[in-house]
Amino acid sequence: MRDVYILGLGQTEVGEHWETSLRHLAWMALDAALKDAEIKTPDALFVGNVLAGQLSRQEHLGVLIADFSGLRGIEAATVEAAGASGGMAARQAYLAVASGMVDTALAVGVEKFTDTVGSRATAALTSATDTDWEAAQGATPTAIAALIMRRYMHEFDCTVADFAGFSVNAHANAKTNPNAMFHNTITAEAFAKAPMVADPVNMFDTAPDADGAAAVLLIGADALGKLGLEPSHPLVRIAGSAVATDSLALHDRPDPLFFRAANLSAGRAYKQAGVEPKDISVLELHDAYTVYAALSLEAGGFAPRGMGWRMAMDGGISLKGRTPLSTFGGLKARGNPGGATGVYQIVEAALQLRSEAGANQVADPHWALAQCLGGAGATAVTHILQRMQKV
Amino acid sequence: MRDVYILGLGQTEVGEHWETSLRHLAWMALDAALKDAEIKTPDALFVGNVLAGQLSRQEHLGVLIADFSGLRGIEAATVEAAGASGGMAARQAYLAVASGMVDTALAVGVEKFTDTVGSRATAALTSATDTDWEAAQGATPTAIAALIMRRYMHEFDCTVADFAGFSVNAHANAKTNPNAMFHNTITAEAFAKAPMVADPVNMFDTAPDADGAAAVLLIGADALGKLGLEPSHPLVRIAGSAVATDSLALHDRPDPLFFRAANLSAGRAYKQAGVEPKDISVLELHDAYTVYAALSLEAGGFAPRGMGWRMAMDGGISLKGRTPLSTFGGLKARGNPGGATGVYQIVEAALQLRSEAGANQVADPHWALAQCLGGAGATAVTHILQRMQKV
């Protein structure tokens, strides 16, 4: 299996793109990644998306986006795993390049939420849960997160206010990310008093559904020379790539406070990359809810069980902390454009390793971990990235 | 890149499965394929599906099906490319195994259409077209096929009756396929007089939307020994695997009578496999409409431009003909369960190469080609299979 590098990065602003169509939004990110990579036509395109079928009545996004982007003819497909769709698109691109079948592959994550009224968008989002056993009973993703958070608070003796650090950190980092949805600062006091969405998940606890697109161009290590490329940015290697699953329905899990899929996929990725949690200098986790950030830290080996929330309390996750988390604002403040989110995470982690993160730069990072989740942690996709010297 | 074999095959009956849920239907095919392969837990699962989000309000099928099938923990994702979703799931499974990242991967295609009233199902199906430019103007997949057929008849001087051979052949072959939706014989005379669906596409010209699931288990050649497997069925090798795209909207094509994606993907697959059209002894093409069968024959190099329809007139596509087509009934008579169709094609082609096709067996086949299309040929996935001696 050959080495795979990230050669190109692209992203749009995250927010409300009412005047830009789905295909146009995808093209903006895709075009930026191709220009960044100095490549005209990739061999393959994998699109991460969750809701275009339900919200825009448009399936078949692979060819839609390839065609609109002037790439007619290339291999193209859509990959879906709910909130983990973006990471899964990157995973497919990685497999395609690693196999040697293609030299270059683009992963593009794209989502348009905000053209649709909230209730319809929430109904569509809920199709990421177990429809027959959860959604049909009235559960929404936020309601399920609330169940998990309530139980976490009970088991590990903490309060809503104890989760504030995650959101405060996310907003602090988003402030200097020009692509972030939110640029406002929030305080721990404001967090503790925020109106409830689904008790105990409050307004400042949950990530905003948003529109956006992000893209990464992957290339086989030996294809750089073959294609006569001289990268103008530092190369980033995909050192680990892994997917795992848990039960889809929360009530089927022996321990609802353990993100088993996140744990399994991180473990597989560590093994492939030959690193441990302590080697990771940049962390992009699926902080759709603060309790998911805590549980992801625990599943990934960054905190003992029941202690994830403490990492956010003592500054350990800030840009200058031991384990910088959500360095561009995370889902919470950069925004959560569904199937694009996992690709944003990889773009942001790669910018850090390239030392191109500007005001959000973490000091001298060598390894980064990006992990996205589908449903309440039912699917987890983990990528470990490594900074390379120029080849 | 290592060789990839097909080790297990599974399928359900195609038809109306009102009393079986989507996950159960998928499990039936998956379980059959695992038993056939004598494997308990595959490393990865790729699900081909188009419409569960729109018709069943259920996305996230990868983990849903893995979980329900007792495979919690494994890698799982959904792959979508409209009518080509099944072939695309097999393609992803192939890439995963070929890369060496996993030793075994399951591709499962599953679709449930018939729980839903026809108009809603048709609206959902139409999301495989270009929604903004085709569906929004009132075009349905069948209306688009009718435009193509009308133009074909005009350019190549033939009539509706001249397409009868495809449907007559498909029904003749389905008669002895226990998993087929239709077991009735139809005659050329009945075809010529059938009521119109979208003139000139008639009742006997178009494939029925159906429920069904099919599965293939792929394994790396060197993993057979590693896992201590002694296959009890003849092995089939995936000698070629390729995907290509065209414009999504029909009106954007310079030549609406040339399936460019089918031509490109077949060409790439021939090149990888080192074979030519004349070497192929079994052909499973995307005969959702007879004119698509004709255009696929032409794009694949089996007939000159404008001559595809003639192959069906002279018996050349029957089980004993030069190029047996739709050997278990094809989309037309086995039935067209959307995202499962491409996997059914591969299962059927592999049964032929194993000499396990029973009454539908083609004499001594060495190579088979299975090709599925998304939209009006906008996406094409081609697999070329080779019969192997037992390893």
Side-chain angles (χ1 to χ4, degrees), chain A residues 80-218:
Chain A
E80 190 272 330
S85 298
M88 203 66 88
R91 166 73 172 166
Q92 299 313 318
Y94 172 77
L95 290 175
V97 174
S99 75
M101 277 296 284
V102 304
D103 282 331
T104 56
L106 256 175
V108 176
V110 60
E111 204 74 61
K112 284 211 77 181
F113 271 111
T114 71
D115 292 356
T116 311
V117 292
S119 59
R120 205 173 139 230
T122 298
L125 271 176
T126 301
S127 63
T129 70
D130 189 319
T131 298
D132 293 350
W133 296 99
E134 295 185 314
Q137 318 305 323
T140 63
T142 304
I144 291 170
L147 291 175
I148 295 175
M149 186 169 173
R150 175 68 67 197
R151 186 77 200 168
Y152 190 100
M153 287 159 58
H154 173 77
E155 291 288 339
F156 302 125
D157 198 24
C158 51
T159 65
V160 169
D162 291 328
F163 291 86
F166 292 110
S167 294
V168 169
N169 173 67
H171 278 257
N173 293 345
K175 197 159 190 162
T176 45
N177 173 8
N179 293 307
M181 185 163 184
F182 295 143
H183 294 105
N184 60 314
T185 303
I186 67 169
T187 62
E189 294 68 37
F191 181 95
K193 284 188 229 158
M196 283 297 163
V197 177
D199 194 349
V201 172
N202 71 30
M203 247 329 237
F204 286 167
D205 187 294
T206 171
D209 300 329
D211 309 331
V216 289
L217 187 285
L218 308 188

Side-chain angles (χ1 to χ4, degrees), chain B residues 329-387:
Chain B
L331 280 66
K332 174 65 196 84
R334 174 242 294 128
N336 181 15
T341 292
V343 184
Y344 273 97
Q345 292 178 315
I346 294 173
V347 167
E348 292 162 351
L351 285 172
Q352 291 287 359
L353 297 175
R354 283 179 170 191
S355 298
E356 294 174 3
N360 295 64
Q361 186 64 50
V362 161
D364 196 34
H366 284 69
W367 298 90
L369 183 148
Q371 182 181 76
C372 57
L373 305 179
T379 300
V381 184
T382 308
H383 284 96
I384 293 178
L385 310 184
Q386 180 186 17
R387 183 175 82 184

Side-chain angles (χ1 to χ4, degrees), chain B residues 289-304:
Chain B
Y289 305 98
T290 56
V291 70
Y292 286 12
L295 290 173
S296 297
L297 285 168
E298 296 170 20
F302 298 98

Side-chain angles (χ1 to χ4, degrees), chain B:
Chain B
M1 213 176 74
R2 64 174 169 177
D3 268 349
V4 178
Y5 294 136
I6 298 177
L7 190 65
L9 306 174
Q11 59 180 315
T12 71
E13 284 179 43
V14 177
E16 295 181 339
H17 288 279
W18 293 7
E19 297 187 356
T20 309
S21 68
L22 185 86
R23 67 186 83 184
H24 195 100
L25 204 58
W27 168 80
M28 287 164 68
L30 176 156
D31 186 58
L34 287 180
K35 284 187 174 139
D36 189 53
E38 295 169 48
I39 277 184
K40 286 218 163 65
T41 307
D43 295 330
L45 168 67
F46 296 94
V47 177
N49 175 271
V50 190
L51 298 173
Q54 292 186 62
L55 298 187
S56 311
R57 281 277 184 211
Q58 180 70 71
E59 307 281 357
H60 217 178
L61 296 190
V63 60
L64 177 89
I65 293 167
D67 183 12
F68 184 72
S69 304
L71 303 175
R72 210 175 275 183
I74 69 165
E75 172 168 5
T78 313
V79 190
E80 190 272 330
S85 298
M88 203 65 90
R91 165 74 171 165
Q92 300 313 318
Y94 172 77
L95 291 174
V97 174
S99 75
M101 278 296 284
V102 303
D103 282 331
T104 56
L106 255 174
V108 176
V110 60
E111 204 75 62
K112 284 212 75 180
F113 270 112
T114 72
D115 292 354
T116 312
V117 292
S119 59
R120 204 171 139 231
T122 299
L125 271 176
T126 302
S127 63
T129 69
D130 189 320
T131 297
D132 293 349
W133 296 98
E134 295 185 315
Q137 318 306 321
T140 64
T142 304
I144 291 170
L147 290 174
I148 295 175
M149 186 169 173
R150 174 68 68 198
R151 186 78 199 169
Y152 190 100
M153 287 159 57
H154 172 78
E155 291 289 339
F156 302 126
D157 199 23
C158 53
T159 66
V160 168
D162 291 328
F163 291 86
F166 291 111
S167 294
V168 169
N169 173 67
H171 277 257
N173 293 345
K175 198 161 189 160
T176 45
N177 173 7
N179 293 306
M181 186 164 185
F182 295 144
H183 294 105
N184 60 315
T185 304
I186 66 169
T187 62
E189 293 68 37
F191 181 95
K193 284 188 227 158
M196 283 297 163
V197 177
D199 194 351
V201 172
N202 72 30
M203 255 315 246
F204 286 167
D205 187 294
T206 172
D209 298 331
D211 308 332
V216 289
L217 187 285
L218 307 187
I219 188 165
D222 53 326
L224 282 169
K226 192 169 126 189
L227 299 176
L229 294 167
E230 293 179 15
S232 49
H233 301 274
L235 284 168
V236 172
R237 186 172 78 100
I238 298 188
S241 170
V243 180
T245 48
D246 197 349
S247 79
L248 180 53
L250 182 64
H251 61 249
D252 276 338
R253 298 185 193 164
D255 181 350
L257 297 183
F258 182 57
F259 272 178
R260 183 165 175 262
N263 178 260
L264 277 175
S265 82
R268 291 172 192 165
Y270 289 139
K271 192 175 165 196
Q272 185 190 352
V275 296
E276 298 175 37
K278 70 173 172 50
D279 300 315
I280 305 294
S281 356
V282 175
L283 208 46
E284 300 298 335
L285 298 176
H286 199 85
D287 58 335
Y289 305 98
T290 56
V291 70
Y292 286 12
L295 290 173
S296 297
L297 285 168
E298 296 170 20
F302 298 98
R305 294 289 307 276
M307 303 287 271
W309 62 278
R310 284 184 194 271
M311 280 185 70
M313 297 300 284
D314 65 4
I317 61 169
S318 74
L319 291 181
K320 300 188 181 207
R322 289 181 313 281
T323 317
L325 174 67
S326 301
T327 65
F328 282 86
L331 280 66
K332 174 65 196 84
R334 174 242 294 128
N336 181 15
T341 292
V343 184
Y344 273 97
Q345 292 178 315
I346 294 173
V347 167
E348 292 162 351
L351 285 172
Q352 291 287 359
L353 297 175
R354 283 179 170 191
S355 298
E356 294 174 3
N360 295 64
Q361 186 64 50
V362 161
D364 196 34
H366 284 69
W367 298 90
L369 183 148
Q371 182 181 76
C372 57
L373 305 179
T379 300
V381 184
T382 308
H383 284 96
I384 293 178
L385 310 184
Q386 180 186 17
R387 183 175 82 184
M388 304 293 288
Q389 301 306 321
K390 280 206 183 194
V391 172

